PDB file of all heavy atoms in Angstrom:
ATOM      1  N   THR K 120     315.120 205.626 170.645  1.00  0.00           N
ATOM      2  CA  THR K 120     313.928 206.050 169.895  1.00  0.00           C
ATOM      3  C   THR K 120     314.257 207.302 169.102  1.00  0.00           C
ATOM      4  O   THR K 120     314.975 208.172 169.576  1.00  0.00           O
ATOM      5  CB  THR K 120     312.771 206.375 170.866  1.00  0.00           C
ATOM      6  OG1 THR K 120     312.671 205.319 171.803  1.00  0.00           O
ATOM      7  CG2 THR K 120     311.474 206.527 170.120  1.00  0.00           C
ATOM      8  N   VAL K 121     313.700 207.339 167.912  1.00  0.00           N
ATOM      9  CA  VAL K 121     314.075 208.437 167.014  1.00  0.00           C
ATOM     10  C   VAL K 121     312.837 208.919 166.289  1.00  0.00           C
ATOM     11  O   VAL K 121     311.960 208.131 165.924  1.00  0.00           O
ATOM     12  CB  VAL K 121     315.131 207.902 166.014  1.00  0.00           C
ATOM     13  CG1 VAL K 121     315.053 208.626 164.689  1.00  0.00           C
ATOM     14  CG2 VAL K 121     316.521 208.009 166.600  1.00  0.00           C
ATOM     15  N   LEU K 122     312.750 210.248 166.093  1.00  0.00           N
ATOM     16  CA  LEU K 122     311.693 210.807 165.253  1.00  0.00           C
ATOM     17  C   LEU K 122     312.277 211.020 163.872  1.00  0.00           C
ATOM     18  O   LEU K 122     313.304 211.666 163.712  1.00  0.00           O
ATOM     19  CB  LEU K 122     311.220 212.149 165.832  1.00  0.00           C
ATOM     20  CG  LEU K 122     310.058 212.771 165.070  1.00  0.00           C
ATOM     21  CD1 LEU K 122     308.753 212.118 165.472  1.00  0.00           C
ATOM     22  CD2 LEU K 122     309.971 214.266 165.323  1.00  0.00           C
ATOM     23  N   LEU K 123     311.623 210.453 162.874  1.00  0.00           N
ATOM     24  CA  LEU K 123     312.085 210.589 161.495  1.00  0.00           C
ATOM     25  C   LEU K 123     311.246 211.650 160.797  1.00  0.00           C
ATOM     26  O   LEU K 123     310.123 211.377 160.374  1.00  0.00           O
ATOM     27  CB  LEU K 123     311.887 209.271 160.751  1.00  0.00           C
ATOM     28  CG  LEU K 123     313.052 208.353 160.537  1.00  0.00           C
ATOM     29  CD1 LEU K 123     312.629 207.229 159.603  1.00  0.00           C
ATOM     30  CD2 LEU K 123     314.244 209.073 159.938  1.00  0.00           C
ATOM     31  N   PRO K 124     311.769 212.862 160.667  1.00  0.00           N
ATOM     32  CA  PRO K 124     310.946 213.918 160.073  1.00  0.00           C
ATOM     33  C   PRO K 124     311.260 214.097 158.595  1.00  0.00           C
ATOM     34  O   PRO K 124     312.160 213.445 158.067  1.00  0.00           O
ATOM     35  CB  PRO K 124     311.418 215.148 160.848  1.00  0.00           C
ATOM     36  CG  PRO K 124     312.883 214.856 161.072  1.00  0.00           C
ATOM     37  CD  PRO K 124     313.077 213.373 161.060  1.00  0.00           C
ATOM     38  N   ALA K 125     310.563 215.004 157.952  1.00  0.00           N
ATOM     39  CA  ALA K 125     310.866 215.342 156.565  1.00  0.00           C
ATOM     40  C   ALA K 125     312.099 216.238 156.516  1.00  0.00           C
ATOM     41  O   ALA K 125     312.521 216.782 157.521  1.00  0.00           O
ATOM     42  CB  ALA K 125     309.672 216.065 155.958  1.00  0.00           C
ATOM     43  N   GLY K 126     312.667 216.359 155.341  1.00  0.00           N
ATOM     44  CA  GLY K 126     313.832 217.209 155.180  1.00  0.00           C
ATOM     45  C   GLY K 126     313.484 218.679 155.380  1.00  0.00           C
ATOM     46  O   GLY K 126     312.329 219.079 155.272  1.00  0.00           O
ATOM     47  N   ASN K 127     314.519 219.490 155.639  1.00  0.00           N
ATOM     48  CA  ASN K 127     314.289 220.912 155.905  1.00  0.00           C
ATOM     49  C   ASN K 127     313.865 221.683 154.664  1.00  0.00           C
ATOM     50  O   ASN K 127     313.376 222.806 154.773  1.00  0.00           O
ATOM     51  CB  ASN K 127     315.563 221.546 156.473  1.00  0.00           C
ATOM     52  CG  ASN K 127     315.888 221.000 157.839  1.00  0.00           C
ATOM     53  OD1 ASN K 127     315.001 220.560 158.545  1.00  0.00           O
ATOM     54  ND2 ASN K 127     317.154 221.029 158.203  1.00  0.00           N
ATOM     55  N   SER K 128     314.081 221.092 153.495  1.00  0.00           N
ATOM     56  CA  SER K 128     313.726 221.804 152.278  1.00  0.00           C
ATOM     57  C   SER K 128     312.254 221.609 151.917  1.00  0.00           C
ATOM     58  O   SER K 128     311.776 222.144 150.932  1.00  0.00           O
ATOM     59  CB  SER K 128     314.600 221.323 151.127  1.00  0.00           C
ATOM     60  OG  SER K 128     314.427 219.937 150.973  1.00  0.00           O
ATOM     61  N   GLN K 129     311.533 220.839 152.722  1.00  0.00           N
ATOM     62  CA  GLN K 129     310.099 220.633 152.457  1.00  0.00           C
ATOM     63  C   GLN K 129     309.282 221.614 153.266  1.00  0.00           C
ATOM     64  O   GLN K 129     309.578 221.873 154.428  1.00  0.00           O
ATOM     65  CB  GLN K 129     309.680 219.218 152.874  1.00  0.00           C
ATOM     66  CG  GLN K 129     310.515 218.124 152.262  1.00  0.00           C
ATOM     67  CD  GLN K 129     310.440 218.156 150.763  1.00  0.00           C
ATOM     68  OE1 GLN K 129     311.372 218.570 150.085  1.00  0.00           O
ATOM     69  NE2 GLN K 129     309.303 217.746 150.236  1.00  0.00           N
ATOM     70  N   ILE K 130     308.229 222.137 152.644  1.00  0.00           N
ATOM     71  CA  ILE K 130     307.332 223.024 153.385  1.00  0.00           C
ATOM     72  C   ILE K 130     306.385 222.185 154.247  1.00  0.00           C
ATOM     73  O   ILE K 130     306.288 222.370 155.442  1.00  0.00           O
ATOM     74  CB  ILE K 130     306.533 223.919 152.423  1.00  0.00           C
ATOM     75  CG1 ILE K 130     307.482 224.848 151.679  1.00  0.00           C
ATOM     76  CG2 ILE K 130     305.498 224.733 153.187  1.00  0.00           C
ATOM     77  CD1 ILE K 130     306.795 225.691 150.640  1.00  0.00           C
ATOM     78  N   ALA K 131     305.688 221.278 153.603  1.00  0.00           N
ATOM     79  CA  ALA K 131     304.856 220.346 154.386  1.00  0.00           C
ATOM     80  C   ALA K 131     305.259 218.974 153.889  1.00  0.00           C
ATOM     81  O   ALA K 131     304.668 218.423 152.960  1.00  0.00           O
ATOM     82  CB  ALA K 131     303.376 220.616 154.148  1.00  0.00           C
ATOM     83  N   GLY K 132     306.310 218.462 154.514  1.00  0.00           N
ATOM     84  CA  GLY K 132     306.938 217.266 153.961  1.00  0.00           C
ATOM     85  C   GLY K 132     306.271 215.970 154.328  1.00  0.00           C
ATOM     86  O   GLY K 132     306.650 214.924 153.814  1.00  0.00           O
ATOM     87  N   GLY K 133     305.319 216.019 155.239  1.00  0.00           N
ATOM     88  CA  GLY K 133     304.647 214.766 155.571  1.00  0.00           C
ATOM     89  C   GLY K 133     304.579 214.553 157.058  1.00  0.00           C
ATOM     90  O   GLY K 133     304.845 215.453 157.855  1.00  0.00           O
ATOM     91  N   GLN K 134     304.215 213.338 157.400  1.00  0.00           N
ATOM     92  CA  GLN K 134     304.045 213.035 158.812  1.00  0.00           C
ATOM     93  C   GLN K 134     305.219 212.198 159.289  1.00  0.00           C
ATOM     94  O   GLN K 134     305.520 211.144 158.729  1.00  0.00           O
ATOM     95  CB  GLN K 134     302.751 212.288 159.017  1.00  0.00           C
ATOM     96  CG  GLN K 134     301.571 213.116 158.580  1.00  0.00           C
ATOM     97  CD  GLN K 134     300.350 212.272 158.493  1.00  0.00           C
ATOM     98  OE1 GLN K 134     299.649 212.077 159.482  1.00  0.00           O
ATOM     99  NE2 GLN K 134     300.091 211.729 157.328  1.00  0.00           N
TER     100      GLN K 134
END
Side-chain angles (χ1 to χ4, degrees):
Chain K
T120 313
V121 150
L122 184 80
L123 259 188
N127 293 334
S128 58
Q129 306 300 105
I130 296 176
Q134 299 167 86

